[in-house]
Amino acid sequence: LTLVVFEFLAERVAPKTFCPSEVARRASSEDWRRHMPAMRELSGRLASFGAMVVTQGGEPIDPRTVSGPFRLGSQLTGATKPRRKQRQR
């Protein structure tokens, strides 16, 4: 699951976020629901290490202590993709 979380973090540049169920589905499409408790724990651990941010209603939370749906995203909230340099003529 950890590897898949980091794949999503690389694919979804801030401010885009993703649902933990997307991670569980990619890891195991057949029985993804059984991974959800582990996703909640993993999300909390990774957020506590500063590897990502976990939000609910746009506010940072600890998914291990709060119930309900939550989103995962990069710590670089509000960041934009770097602009391409324009070629000088």
Side-chain angles (χ1 to χ4, degrees), residues 7 45 48 52 64 67 86:
E7 287 173 359
R45 280 197 327 263
S48 71
M52 65 179 190
R64 298 169 292 187
S67 63
Q86 288 192 354

Side-chain angles (χ1 to χ4, degrees), residues 3 11 14 21-22 26-28 30 33 39-40 44 46 49 51-52 54 56 62 67:
L3 177 61
E11 293 168 8
S21 66
E22 292 178 85
R26 185 179 290 181
S28 179
E30 295 289 320
R33 283 184 176 87
M39 273 304 306
R40 190 171 283 275
L46 291 175
F49 297 145
M52 65 179 190
V54 181
Q56 188 176 59
D62 183 339
S67 63

